[in-house]
Structures are given as C-alpha cells and as structure tokens.
Amino acid sequence: MDNEAGPVDDILDEALDLTGCRVLVIDDSDRNHRIFETYLGALEIDQVEFAFNGAEGLEKVDSFSPDLVILDLMMPVMDGHEFLRRLRARPEYLELPIIVATAMESEDKRTMVFREGATDFVTKPINAVELLARTSVHLRNRLLIAEQRQFRQRVGQELSLASSTQLSLLPDNETLKSIQSNFKINLDYHFEPSTELGGDLWGMRPIDDQRLAIYMADFSGHGVSAALNTMRLHTLVNQMDETIAADCGDVLARLNEALVGLLPRGQYATMIYGVLNSSKRTFSYASAAAPDLLIGADGEDSVKRLVWNSLPLGIDAGSAYEVREVTLPEGGFLFFHSDALSEMPNSTGHILEEKGSYSLCSASILSSCASRDSNSCLPSSVWALWANSSSIFSASTISSST
C-alpha cells in the first residue's frame, strides 16, 4: 500500500476532541493496520482495533463498539461486500459510519458499494489528508448526533416534569368533589394541551359558602414561555384575598396591571373571571377578550352566547373590565372553552371560528339533553357548570348527579 502524506494542520485545527472515539480497521494487511493507526494518531485517536477479514470484523463490532469502521473490500474468509450486507441487516448498526478504502474507480461499482451500506470512500493509495478529513467529518457528525439525542432526551424529561407541574395547578378530583357537594353543582371538564406545554389554565376558588370564583385563561404562544405564564397567573390569582376575588372587574384590572410589567412585548392573555352565587342563582363575570361563554337550561331549544369586546391582559395598564351579571334558571348550565375550539378545522378543512364553534357546541349540548331518559337535561335542583379548557375539543356529554 503506497502512501501520500499531505498537510494535516488545518484538519487538526478544525477537529473536535476525538480522543474518546473508537475506530475499527478491517483489512487483511498488517502493514495497512500500522499505517491507519499512525494516521489516526494524528487526530489523537488511540482507541483503534483491528480485524483481518469481514467475519472477524463482525465479531469486533459487537465486542469493541466502534464509532467508525474503515473497511477494505478484498479480503479472505469474508470480503467487505458481505460484511456490509450482514452488518446493515442489523438495525442497531444502520447509522454506524463505514469508510471503504478501495482503488476501484468504476462509478457503477462504487454505487453498488453505497447500496450495500458504505457511508463514504477513501481512495487507495491512501492520502493522509483525505483519510483524516473524512474520518474527522464522520466522527464529528456522530458526536454531534449523540449530543443532540442526549439533549433531546434531557429536554424531554424536563418537559415531562414541567407538564406535570403545570397540570398540578388545575383543581384536583378531591377539590372538584368538594365544590360539587358544597355548591350543589355538577362539573365536567376536559384539559389537553396541543403540545407538552401550553398556555391554557382554568381554576375555581370558593370565596365563601355561597360564592364560587371560576376563571379560565389562555396565554399567547405555546411551549415553555406560555406554561411559565400560567404559573405566574395562578400565583397572582391565589394571592388575592376574598374581598378582591369577589369583584370580577377588579380582579382582571389587577391581573392586567401585573402582567403588563411581567410579560415581554408581544405576549398577552385572554381570560374570563366570574363568580357564581348559588343562593341567588346569578353569575357575575368580566372578560379580557376571552371566547364567548355559552349559557342555557334544560327545556330550552337553544344555547345563548354571552358576547363582549375587551382588551386582553398584559397590553394596556389602564384597561378597565366591565362586570356583567346573568340569572340562571333551574337546571341552567354554563360552558367555557378556549380559543382552540374556534381554531379547529371542520370536516371540510375550514376553520370553525366563533360561529362554527357555537353551532358545534349548541348541537352537541342539545343532542345530549334530548338523549337523556329524564324529562330535563339536568336535575332542576342542581346547578351545572360544564368547564372545558382544551386544545382538543371533546364532545362529551354533560355529567349530572342526583
């Protein structure tokens, strides 16, 4: 095997730290082994293993776990072609880089070797600059891919933890059971972020024995920043005393003032905040550009939208939020939802928008009422709140209890 030593300084300057890399050389020539080992030493690669044929090479791949293979084609016992076919038949080695050292110049033969599983070629007689350049490139790529996978795994674990933390902000089952029992209402909800982390949040907070605060918010954007904002909002809401919590307009005004100072430019939140008075059968509410609230009752043939116009939270520190009040009949219900519902495509691929989502919800709710065996959609002695904070709408029926 002839050698052409060339300048390697530029390659060595650009190379990552390859000292931990492992290279397997499969060649039937002892002399070639020494040459490859010398050249690889210029990259400070000292973990080099050797095999004299393809069969021995397959065993060394398993025992040595190389990061790169340098392969000769013409060898006894098992040649390089058979080695490639057998190794690439094993899924765990599909991404292992293999540099074939060959003197073949035929384009068709080189194409065949690529199809068998070769990653790259170096030409015999070996040129040191070419060998080091190609070795460095493939080892660098392998290291970067490994680092990226480790990073993605670590991020995935952290996102999973963050998602669990975000879900812990929502009312738990015991809290919901207690609220249903104390305020004589039925609750049903569905919460499912479109990604691992999102900007949706909903919650409930008893103010006293008769009044229950209910809120739903949706921050702009998705991912970590939106999730962090829901945690900020949750903290701000729970820091308010009962006197403030009872005034819907004041709650939104205070939250807006706080978020203007906290949120980066371009971020905002839509929110509805209301207080249900179970003894008076009233629902007072204020909205910061939240989606329309739906209201209805058993025995009625339509569902009404409570529409308003207002600025989102976090944009203008001077914004004021009007408080409105509705009286709920016996068997009445409220339906909350995030804007993900109106942003869903319908069966034809068009976005539902507010009108389409209203039609969908109305049809679903009325169908649920009509399908019940009892004469009414909900027991007349029980209030029902159907809370839905979802990025994927679930047309579940209204739950009720006697």
Side-chain angles (χ1 to χ4, degrees):
M1 176 177 178
D2 296 328
N3 310 301
E4 293 181 31
V8 297
D9 291 344
D10 293 340
I11 297 172
L12 298 180
D13 289 342
E14 295 176 1
L16 297 176
D17 183 6
L18 305 178
T19 54
C21 293
R22 306 158 73 89
V23 177
L24 172 61
V25 177
I26 306 176
D27 193 300
D28 61 341
S29 169
D30 230 347
R31 178 172 177 268
N32 289 350
H33 288 183
R34 292 193 298 273
I35 293 171
F36 281 121
E37 185 175 26
T38 300
Y39 286 166
L40 293 172
L43 294 176
E44 298 185 356
I45 299 174
D46 54 11
Q47 298 187 68
V48 183
E49 189 63 69
F50 304 98
F52 288 89
N53 57 66
E56 187 179 344
L58 289 174
E59 296 177 358
K60 290 289 181 71
V61 167
D62 288 329
S63 62
F64 182 60
S65 299
D67 297 299
L68 180 139
V69 174
I70 297 175
L71 176 68
D72 186 25
L73 290 177
M74 305 303 295
M75 296 177 293
V77 183
M78 180 188 295
D79 63 15
H81 299 282
E82 184 64 19
F83 171 86
L84 285 170
R85 288 191 290 267
R86 293 197 183 190
L87 188 71
R88 293 310 194 197
R90 301 172 60 179
E92 65 269 31
Y93 294 124
L94 287 175
E95 296 180 1
L96 177 62
I98 301 175
I99 298 176
V100 171
T102 180
M104 69 169 59
E105 298 180 356
S106 168
E107 184 175 338
D108 290 341
K109 289 183 179 180
R110 286 187 173 234
T111 300
M112 178 187 68
V113 176
F114 272 126
R115 288 176 178 171
E116 290 172 339
T119 308
D120 204 349
F121 285 91
V122 290
T123 305
K124 288 186 176 180
I126 298 298
N127 177 287
V129 174
E130 180 186 22
L131 174 67
L132 296 182
R134 295 185 186 279
T135 299
S136 177
V137 165
H138 292 295
L139 286 176
R140 182 186 292 114
N141 287 343
R142 188 168 176 84
L143 288 174
L144 292 175
I145 291 172
E147 289 178 1
Q148 184 183 49
R149 285 177 176 166
Q150 293 173 358
F151 173 77
R152 292 180 65 179
Q153 182 179 15
R154 185 173 66 253
V155 169
Q157 293 171 345
E158 293 174 354
L159 286 176
S160 179
L161 178 60
S163 179
S164 298
T165 302
Q166 186 180 18
L167 290 175
S168 70
L169 302 180
L170 306 180
D172 57 33
N173 289 333
E174 290 302 316
T175 300
L176 294 179
K177 287 180 181 178
S178 175
I179 288 175
Q180 291 186 90
S181 174
N182 294 338
F183 290 91
K184 301 298 187 294
I185 62 174
N186 292 332
L187 301 172
D188 193 9
Y189 77 95
H190 179 76
F191 182 92
E192 185 175 350
S194 58
T195 58
E196 289 181 333
L197 295 175
D200 289 339
L201 176 69
W202 74 276
M204 295 182 172
R205 176 185 175 184
I207 298 174
D208 52 36
D209 292 341
Q210 298 179 351
R211 294 178 297 173
L212 174 68
I214 307 159
Y215 63 89
M216 180 176 294
D218 183 9
F219 281 89
S220 58
H222 301 284
V224 175
S225 62
L228 288 175
N229 286 334
T230 64
M231 297 176 191
R232 289 170 171 167
L233 181 65
H234 184 269
T235 300
L236 291 171
V237 171
N238 284 278
Q239 285 176 343
M240 296 180 180
D241 61 33
E242 287 75 8
T243 302
I244 298 173
D247 188 334
C248 303
D250 191 28
V251 167
L252 289 190
R254 288 170 180 264
L255 292 175
N256 176 64
E257 184 176 356
L259 291 177
V260 166
L262 289 173
L263 298 181
R265 182 179 296 274
Q267 293 186 12
Y268 60 88
T270 62
M271 183 173 183
I272 180 172
Y273 183 95
V275 175
L276 178 67
N277 190 313
S278 58
S279 63
K280 295 182 178 180
R281 295 182 176 177
T282 59
F283 183 68
S284 302
Y285 63 95
S287 171
D292 298 340
L293 179 66
L294 303 185
I295 181 173
D298 62 302
E300 296 183 358
D301 58 0
S302 64
V303 177
K304 299 176 183 177
R305 297 165 60 190
L306 302 182
V307 184
W308 49 71
N309 293 310
S310 54
L311 282 178
L313 303 179
I315 294 180
D316 180 11
S319 295
Y321 298 92
E322 178 186 356
V323 179
R324 301 182 185 183
E325 183 176 280
V326 292
T327 299
L328 295 172
E330 292 186 354
F333 60 83
L334 299 170
F335 179 83
F336 299 78
H337 66 88
S338 72
D339 61 1
L341 180 57
S342 58
E343 294 173 355
M344 283 182 55
N346 59 20
S347 57
T348 62
H350 295 90
I351 301 301
L352 285 175
E353 299 182 342
E354 284 291 340
K355 183 177 180 180
S357 61
Y358 166 66
S359 299
L360 174 64
C361 292
S362 298
S364 178
I365 293 171
L366 295 176
S367 174
S368 174
C369 294
S371 66
R372 294 184 179 275
D373 294 332
S374 60
N375 294 327
S376 64
C377 176
L378 296 169
S380 59
S381 60
V382 179
W383 293 101
L385 172 70
W386 189 9
N388 183 299
S389 175
S390 67
S391 295
I392 302 176
F393 177 64
S394 175
S396 56
T397 57
I398 300 175
S399 63
S400 62
S401 62
T402 57

